[in-house]
Amino acid sequence: MAKKALVTGILGQDGPYLAQHLLSQGYKVYGMIRRYSNPNFENLEYLNLMNEIEYVDGDLTDEASLMGAIKFIRPDEVYNLAAQSFVGGSWEQAKLTTEVNALGVLHLLNAIKYFAPTSRFYQASTSEMFGLGLNKHDGMQDEGTPFHPRSPYGVSKVYAYWMTVNYRESYKMFAANGILFNHESPIRGIQFVTRKISDGVARIKLGFAKELHLGNMDSMRDWGFAGDYVKAMHLMLQQDEPDDYVVATGENHSVREYAELAFKHVGLNWKDYVKTDPRFQRPAEVPNLKGNSEKARKKLGWEPTVSFPDLVAMMVDADLKRVEKRNR
Ligand code: NAP
Ligand code: F7E
C-alpha cells in the first residue's frame, strides 16, 4: 500500500515542491489547508499538482482540527511546513507568530502522540534560530552552533525545535528537525527579498515599474533552490534513527550581489533602479548566515544541484514570463 504523508503549509513555497517529490516516490499526499475565504492554489497550479492532492482542513492554532486530521489520515509521515514564515512581519505580529510557529507545533506533536504515535515527524526549523551565532572555527553555522535568534520568528522556531527534540526524547517519537537555510524558487512568497527583486526586475525590464525599494543590502544569506531542499526533508524521515540536520549550500552572498546579478541578467545596471528605503530595515538584523551541511551530505547523501547564478536566472526568467502574461 502507498505510504501516506500529511503536509501542512501545502499552499506555500515548500509544500508544492515537497508534494511533487513525494508523489514521484509513490506516496499518497494529504495537504492541510486552513480556513480561508479565498484560498490561493497558485503555487500548486504552477507545478500542475492541484488535482494530485487530497485536501484536509486544519489550522495549527486549533488543536482539535489537527487531532481530527491525524485521526482521519493516520499518516506514515507528517511534514510540518506551516508557519507565519515572514521574519520582517514577525515584530508586528509577534503573538500570532508564536501561536502558529511555537504552540502550533506542540498541538501537532500532541495530535501525533495520541492518534498516530508511530508516524514520523519533520519540523521545519531554520537558520534564523542561529541569528548572531557563529561556529568559532569556520564562521559558519552547523548543528552545534548556539542559537541566538534575532526576531520573534526566530524565537518561536527555537521553541518548536526544542519541543520536537523533547517529544523525541520523552516519548520515543520519530521526530526530526531540518535546520534549513534560505531556499528560494519561482514560487517564493513575493515579500521575501529574492522574489521581490526578481519580480521588480521583470516589471522594470518590461516597463511597468521604474524603481525597486530595498532595505539592508549588506545582509549575507546562504541561498539554495527549494526543489533541492525538500529532498533532504524526505531523506531525514527515511533514516533508522531520528536526528537534526543543517541543510545549506555552504556559500553565501549579499542582497546587493543578488540584485546586481538579477539586473545584469536582463542587461540592466542595478544602481540605476535600486533605492534603499528605511521602511524595509528590521529592528534587529541577522547579518551573516552560511551553513555547514556536512552531516546531511554524509549521512543523507544530500547535495544541492542549483548554483547561485542559476537560481537568480531561474527566478528572473519565471517572473518575466509571469509579468508578460499578466499584462498581455
Ligand atoms: P510559506 O511559503 O510562507 O508557507 C507557509 C504556509 O503555512 C502557507 O501555506 C500558510 O498558509 C501556512 N500557514 C500559515 N499559518 C497557518 C496556520 N495557522 N495553520 C495552518 N497553516 C498555516 O513558507 P515556506 O517558504 O514554504 O517554508 C516552509 C516552512 O519552512 C515554514 O515553516 C518556514 O518557517 C520554514 N523555513 C523556510 C525557509 C525558506 O527559506 N523558505 C528556511 C527555513 C525554514 P496560507 O497559504 O493559507 O497563508
Ligand atoms: O530577507 C534583507 C533582510 O525576508 C533576507 C524566511 O524564509 O529565510 C527567510 O527569512 C535578507 C534580510 O528572508 C529587503 O533584512 C533587504 O537580511 O528574504 P528575507 P529571511 O529574513 O532571511 C529563513 C531561513 C526563514 O526561515 C524564513 O522563514 O534580506 N532585505 N531588503 C530585505 N528583505 C525583505 N524581505 N525585503 C526587502 O526589501
Side-chain angles (χ1 to χ4, degrees):
M1 219 170 67
K3 272 196 195 174
K4 292 181 285 185
L6 170 62
V7 179
T8 73
I10 193 72
L11 302 183
Q13 171 189 248
D14 291 2
Y17 280 106
L18 177 62
Q20 185 181 52
H21 182 60
L22 293 173
L23 288 164
S24 78
Q25 304 290 308
Y27 281 71
K28 175 162 178 59
V29 177
Y30 294 82
M32 184 177 283
I33 298 186
R34 59 180 163 155
R35 179 71 205 113
Y36 230 77
S37 43
N38 193 8
N40 183 351
F41 289 85
E42 209 176 295
N43 291 349
L44 282 169
E45 267 171 22
Y46 187 86
L47 296 181
N48 213 7
L49 295 174
M50 275 278 288
N51 301 321
E52 308 297 319
I53 286 155
E54 182 161 336
Y55 300 103
V56 288
D57 293 326
D59 191 303
L60 285 198
T61 60
D62 183 342
E63 196 169 14
S65 72
L66 304 180
M67 292 202 173
I70 297 285
K71 198 172 166 192
F72 167 68
I73 303 167
R74 300 213 189 258
D76 298 289
E77 295 170 13
V78 177
Y79 294 87
N80 182 36
L81 308 184
Q84 189 304 91
S85 77
F86 184 44
V87 175
S90 72
W91 280 272
E92 282 71 40
Q93 298 198 36
K95 183 167 180 268
L96 174 82
T97 303
T98 306
E99 281 170 355
V100 178
N101 300 3
L103 290 179
V105 177
L106 175 62
H107 297 159
L108 190 51
L109 284 164
N110 278 334
I112 295 169
K113 181 181 149 214
Y114 290 124
F115 295 109
T118 57
S119 176
R120 296 184 168 209
F121 177 72
Y122 173 86
Q123 167 56 16
S125 287
T126 163
S127 50
E128 281 294 305
M129 300 186 305
F130 296 125
L132 288 183
L134 284 180
N135 185 324
K136 297 256 173 347
H137 310 295
D138 57 7
M140 296 167 88
Q141 293 90 14
D142 64 20
E143 293 80 2
T145 303
F147 296 149
H148 184 152
R150 295 271 283 171
S151 62
Y153 170 81
V155 174
S156 72
K157 287 284 188 172
V158 171
Y159 173 93
Y161 169 93
W162 281 116
M163 215 32 114
T164 300
V165 173
N166 184 258
Y167 270 51
R168 176 164 86 213
E169 293 175 352
S170 304
Y171 306 115
K172 309 286 170 257
M173 283 168 57
F174 193 111
N177 282 291
I179 308 174
L180 273 50
F181 283 60
N182 299 51
H183 46 279
E184 320 294 312
S185 73
I187 55 169
R188 180 60 143 152
I190 197 82
Q191 68 273 39
F192 299 97
V193 78
T194 52
R195 182 73 203 292
K196 182 174 167 181
I197 295 172
S198 61
D199 173 70
V201 165
R203 289 193 299 125
I204 289 169
K205 179 68 185 174
L206 296 172
F208 297 106
K210 291 193 162 56
E211 291 179 349
L212 177 61
H213 289 232
L214 296 173
N216 177 13
M217 299 198 61
D218 296 324
S219 241
M220 305 283 290
R221 289 290 181 274
D222 180 332
W223 280 297
F225 171 52
D228 284 340
Y229 284 42
V230 297
K231 293 180 182 158
M233 299 175 184
H234 176 244
L235 284 167
M236 284 177 216
L237 298 199
Q238 312 315 308
Q239 303 307 302
D240 291 339
E241 298 295 334
D243 206 346
D244 309 315
Y245 299 86
V246 159
V247 178
T249 70
E251 225 187 83
N252 67 358
H253 300 271
S254 65
V255 171
R256 185 176 296 101
E257 278 175 85
Y258 187 101
E260 191 176 346
L261 263 189
F263 278 94
K264 202 170 161 195
H265 186 65
V266 297
L268 300 176
N269 184 341
W270 70 279
K271 288 182 183 157
D272 297 333
Y273 303 98
V274 173
K275 308 276 176 248
T276 48
D277 187 332
R279 283 180 304 155
F280 300 109
Q281 302 272 352
R282 294 174 180 179
E285 181 60 279
V286 173
N288 189 8
L289 289 172
K290 182 153 69 144
N292 176 348
S293 59
E294 213 178 299
K295 180 174 169 184
R297 289 172 198 241
K298 278 200 179 129
K299 289 200 168 174
L300 306 178
W302 176 84
E303 288 284 342
T305 67
V306 178
S307 70
F308 179 67
D310 287 350
L311 178 66
V312 177
M314 180 201 299
M315 292 180 71
V316 173
D317 287 341
D319 273 319
L320 282 169
K321 275 199 193 131
R322 229 187 235 125
V323 174
E324 222 168 17
K325 194 171 161 195
R326 207 184 298 139
N327 292 288
R328 208 176 284 147

